[in-house]
Coordinates of all heavy atoms in Angstrom, one line a residue:
G1 N -3.2 2.4 8.5 CA -2.8 3.7 8.7 C -3.8 4.5 9.6 O -4.7 4.0 10.2
Y2 N -3.5 5.8 9.6 CA -4.2 6.8 10.4 C -4.5 8.0 9.7 O -3.7 8.6 9.1 CB -3.4 7.1 11.7 CG -4.2 7.9 12.7 CD1 -5.2 7.3 13.5 CD2 -4.0 9.3 12.9 CE1 -5.8 8.0 14.5 CE2 -4.6 10.1 13.8 CZ -5.6 9.4 14.6 OH -6.3 10.1 15.5
E3 N -5.8 8.4 9.6 CA -6.2 9.7 8.9 C -6.4 10.8 10.1 O -7.0 10.5 11.1 CB -7.6 9.5 8.2 CG -7.4 8.8 6.9 CD -8.6 8.7 6.1 OE1 -9.6 9.5 6.4 OE2 -8.7 8.0 5.1
I4 N -6.0 12.0 9.7 CA -6.1 13.1 10.7 C -7.1 14.1 10.1 O -6.9 14.7 9.1 CB -4.7 13.8 10.8 CG1 -3.7 12.8 11.3 CG2 -4.9 14.9 11.8 CD1 -2.3 13.3 11.3
N5 N -8.3 14.1 10.8 CA -9.4 15.1 10.5 C -9.8 14.9 9.0 O -10.2 15.8 8.3 CB -8.8 16.5 10.6 CG -8.6 16.9 12.1 OD1 -9.3 16.4 13.1 ND2 -7.6 17.7 12.4
N6 N -9.8 13.6 8.6 CA -10.3 13.3 7.3 C -9.5 14.1 6.2 O -10.0 14.3 5.1 CB -11.8 13.6 7.1 CG -12.7 12.7 8.0 OD1 -12.4 11.5 8.2 ND2 -13.6 13.4 8.7
N7 N -8.3 14.4 6.4 CA -7.5 15.3 5.5 C -6.2 14.7 5.2 O -5.9 14.3 4.1 CB -7.4 16.7 6.2 CG -7.0 17.7 5.2 OD1 -6.7 17.4 4.1 ND2 -6.9 18.9 5.6
F8 N -5.3 14.6 6.3 CA -4.0 14.0 6.0 C -4.0 12.5 6.5 O -4.8 12.1 7.4 CB -3.0 14.8 6.9 CG -2.7 16.1 6.4 CD1 -3.4 17.2 7.0 CD2 -1.8 16.4 5.4 CE1 -3.2 18.5 6.6 CE2 -1.6 17.7 4.9 CZ -2.3 18.7 5.5
S9 N -3.1 11.7 6.0 CA -3.0 10.3 6.5 C -1.5 9.9 6.4 O -0.7 10.4 5.6 CB -3.8 9.4 5.5 OG -3.3 9.4 4.2
I10 N -1.2 8.9 7.2 CA 0.0 8.2 7.2 C -0.3 6.6 7.2 O -1.2 6.2 8.0 CB 1.0 8.6 8.3 CG1 2.3 7.8 8.2 CG2 0.3 8.4 9.6 CD1 3.4 8.4 9.2
F11 N 0.4 5.9 6.4 CA 0.0 4.5 6.3 C 1.2 3.6 5.9 O 2.1 4.0 5.1 CB -1.1 4.2 5.4 CG -1.0 4.7 3.9 CD1 -0.5 3.8 3.0 CD2 -1.3 6.0 3.6 CE1 -0.3 4.2 1.6 CE2 -1.1 6.4 2.3 CZ -0.6 5.5 1.3
A12 N 1.3 2.5 6.6 CA 2.2 1.5 6.2 C 1.6 0.6 5.1 O 0.4 0.4 5.2 CB 2.7 0.6 7.4
H13 N 2.4 0.0 4.1 CA 1.8 -0.8 3.1 C 2.7 -2.0 2.7 O 3.9 -1.9 2.8 CB 1.6 0.1 1.8 CG 2.7 1.0 1.4 ND1 3.7 0.7 0.6 CD2 2.8 2.3 1.8 CE1 4.5 1.8 0.5 NE2 4.0 2.7 1.2
Y14 N 2.0 -3.1 2.4 CA 2.8 -4.3 2.0 C 2.1 -4.9 0.8 O 0.9 -4.9 0.6 CB 2.6 -5.2 3.1 CG 3.2 -6.6 2.8 CD1 4.6 -6.8 2.6 CD2 2.4 -7.7 2.6 CE1 5.2 -8.0 2.2 CE2 3.0 -8.9 2.3 CZ 4.4 -9.2 2.0 OH 4.9 -10.3 1.7
E15 N 3.0 -5.3 -0.2 CA 2.5 -5.9 -1.4 C 3.1 -7.3 -1.5 O 4.3 -7.5 -1.3 CB 2.8 -5.0 -2.7 CG 2.1 -3.8 -2.7 CD 2.3 -3.1 -4.1 OE1 2.6 -3.8 -5.1 OE2 2.2 -1.9 -4.2
H16 N 2.3 -8.3 -1.8 CA 2.8 -9.7 -1.9 C 2.4 -10.1 -3.3 O 1.3 -10.4 -3.7 CB 2.1 -10.5 -0.9 CG 2.7 -11.9 -0.8 ND1 3.7 -12.2 0.0 CD2 2.3 -13.0 -1.5 CE1 3.9 -13.5 0.0 NE2 3.2 -14.0 -1.0
G17 N 3.5 -10.2 -4.2 CA 3.3 -10.6 -5.5 C 2.9 -12.1 -5.7 O 3.4 -12.9 -5.0
F18 N 1.9 -12.3 -6.6 CA 1.5 -13.7 -6.9 C 1.4 -14.0 -8.3 O 0.9 -15.1 -8.7 CB 0.1 -14.0 -6.2 CG -1.0 -13.1 -6.5 CD1 -1.7 -13.2 -7.7 CD2 -1.3 -12.0 -5.6 CE1 -2.8 -12.4 -8.0 CE2 -2.4 -11.2 -5.9 CZ -3.1 -11.3 -7.1
V19 N 2.0 -13.1 -9.3 CA 2.1 -13.5 -10.6 C 3.6 -13.4 -11.0 O 4.2 -12.4 -10.6 CB 1.3 -12.5 -11.4 CG1 1.6 -12.7 -12.9 CG2 -0.2 -12.8 -11.2
N20 N 4.1 -14.3 -11.7 CA 5.6 -14.4 -12.1 C 5.9 -13.2 -13.0 O 5.2 -13.0 -14.0 CB 5.8 -15.8 -12.7 CG 7.3 -15.9 -13.0 OD1 8.1 -15.3 -12.6 ND2 7.6 -17.0 -13.8
R21 N 7.1 -12.6 -12.7 CA 7.5 -11.4 -13.5 C 8.2 -12.0 -14.7 O 8.5 -11.2 -15.7 CB 8.4 -10.5 -12.7 CG 8.6 -9.2 -13.4 CD 7.6 -8.3 -12.9 NE 7.1 -7.4 -14.0 CZ 6.4 -6.3 -13.8 NH1 6.1 -5.9 -12.6 NH2 5.9 -5.7 -14.8
S22 N 8.6 -13.2 -14.8 CA 9.3 -13.8 -15.9 C 8.4 -14.5 -16.9 O 7.5 -15.4 -16.4 CB 10.4 -14.7 -15.4 OG 11.0 -15.4 -16.6
N23 N 8.6 -14.4 -18.2 CA 7.7 -15.1 -19.2 C 8.6 -16.2 -19.8 O 8.1 -17.0 -20.7 CB 7.3 -14.2 -20.3 CG 6.0 -13.5 -19.9 OD1 5.3 -13.9 -19.1 ND2 5.8 -12.3 -20.5
A24 N 9.9 -16.3 -19.5 CA 10.8 -17.3 -20.2 C 10.4 -18.7 -19.9 O 10.1 -19.1 -18.8 CB 12.3 -17.0 -19.8

């Protein structure tokens, strides 16, 4: 991302899961 004057920011984010959501 990009911060503007150490105040506002805009950022792209990505999450990659590596723990199974199912317990069955």
Side-chain angles (χ1 to χ4, degrees):
Y2 187 76
E3 283 186 13
I4 305 170
N5 295 324
N6 299 315
N7 195 357
F8 294 95
S9 67
I10 181 171
F11 56 94
H13 43 88
Y14 174 70
E15 293 189 26
H16 189 91
F18 54 81
V19 172
N20 186 11
R21 194 90 224 193
S22 171
N23 276 335

